[in-house]
Amino acid sequence: MGRRSDHSREELQTLIVESTLALVKEHGASNVTARQIAKAVGYTPGMLYSIFLNLQDIFQHVNQVGLHTLYKLCEASQKNTEGPEDAIKAMGMAYLQFAAQHTHQFDLMFARSLRDAPASPSSLSNQIQVLFQLVEAQLRTLKPGATEAQLQLGARALWSGVHGTAALRLSNQLYIDTPNADQEIVDILVSSFVNQWCR
């Protein structure tokens, strides 16, 4: 069993978040307890609450890691694309890939139970904004005269469809027996949206 003096507060926070993320990826957030996290880091459960307010607070910090990973994937996916529409489609595919490969983490990131968590890190909302800004930048290129309000609303409208497709695929509720149905749906969704957006 580790001693608290073995690590600084910042090191403990990082250790707890990394260990929780590993547990979430393996078991799903609903099956992760404070006792399991404490055991994984080699400290007592009480120590967790000297660093975080509660389990939801820990999960919110885990979500920061997930959003950062998702941002990097979406950002990288735009490289070598041919124009804004192609870039948005590439981001959509990256989003689907993240959801498929990190399903438990994806589920936690959008869990309704965490929506009103009392200890949401301030940088969490900033990361969400930055992720949307990737889409907004492409929409701005397609329609230079769009206002900031239009860009924000447009990005969220479009990404609601992408997110919904990812979520439905994970829950096996697309109701179509096609291996790449989610990718085909996102392709149609983006093309249709861009066509309307550019009018």
Side-chain angles (χ1 to χ4, degrees):
M1 182 69 67
R3 297 188 310 275
R4 190 172 172 185
S5 59
D6 292 340
H7 301 92
S8 68
R9 182 181 180 85
E10 291 72 23
E11 289 171 338
L12 280 172
Q13 180 171 315
T14 299
L15 183 61
I16 292 166
V17 170
E18 289 177 347
S19 297
T20 303
L21 175 57
L23 289 168
V24 167
K25 285 182 175 180
E26 184 176 356
H27 305 291
S30 61
N31 297 311
V32 175
T33 66
R35 187 173 298 278
Q36 289 174 319
I37 298 170
K39 182 178 180 181
V41 299
Y43 284 84
T44 64
M47 182 279 301
L48 299 181
Y49 302 119
S50 68
I51 306 296
F52 297 95
L53 291 179
N54 50 37
L55 187 58
Q56 283 192 330
D57 187 19
I58 298 173
F59 285 155
Q60 289 284 29
H61 282 78
V62 169
N63 282 344
Q64 284 185 276
V65 176
L67 282 168
H68 180 72
T69 301
L70 185 54
Y71 174 84
K72 288 298 184 183
L73 286 172
C74 288
E75 183 183 44
S77 73
Q78 299 179 78
K79 295 179 180 178
N80 303 318
T81 55
E82 299 179 359
E85 181 175 340
D86 194 28
I88 294 171
K89 287 182 179 180
M91 285 190 282
M93 298 307 157
Y95 196 89
L96 295 177
Q97 179 184 4
F98 178 87
Q101 295 181 353
H102 306 276
T103 303
H104 289 316
Q105 193 175 358
F106 182 84
D107 288 341
L108 175 62
M109 286 166 60
F110 301 101
R112 292 176 60 188
S113 61
L114 292 184
R115 182 181 57 195
D116 300 318
S120 180
S122 59
S123 60
L124 193 61
S125 60
N126 292 336
Q127 285 180 292
I128 293 171
Q129 296 293 334
V130 169
L131 187 58
F132 274 121
Q133 285 170 7
L134 290 175
V135 184
E136 291 169 20
Q138 300 301 333
L139 294 181
R140 182 181 292 106
T141 301
L142 287 165
K143 192 173 184 177
T147 65
E148 286 302 312
Q150 289 173 327
L151 290 167
Q152 291 175 3
L153 188 60
R156 284 152 184 78
L158 174 56
W159 225 250
S160 292
V162 175
H163 175 79
T165 302
L168 289 171
R169 166 54 81 190
L170 292 180
S171 60
N172 198 29
Q173 291 180 313
L174 287 177
Y175 302 112
I176 180 172
D177 189 20
T178 304
N180 299 315
D182 54 344
Q183 297 175 30
E184 293 178 15
I185 289 170
V186 167
D187 187 81
I188 294 171
L189 176 68
V190 173
S191 293
S192 300
F193 184 91
V194 167
N195 181 58
Q196 182 66 34
W197 176 259
C198 291
R199 288 183 181 179

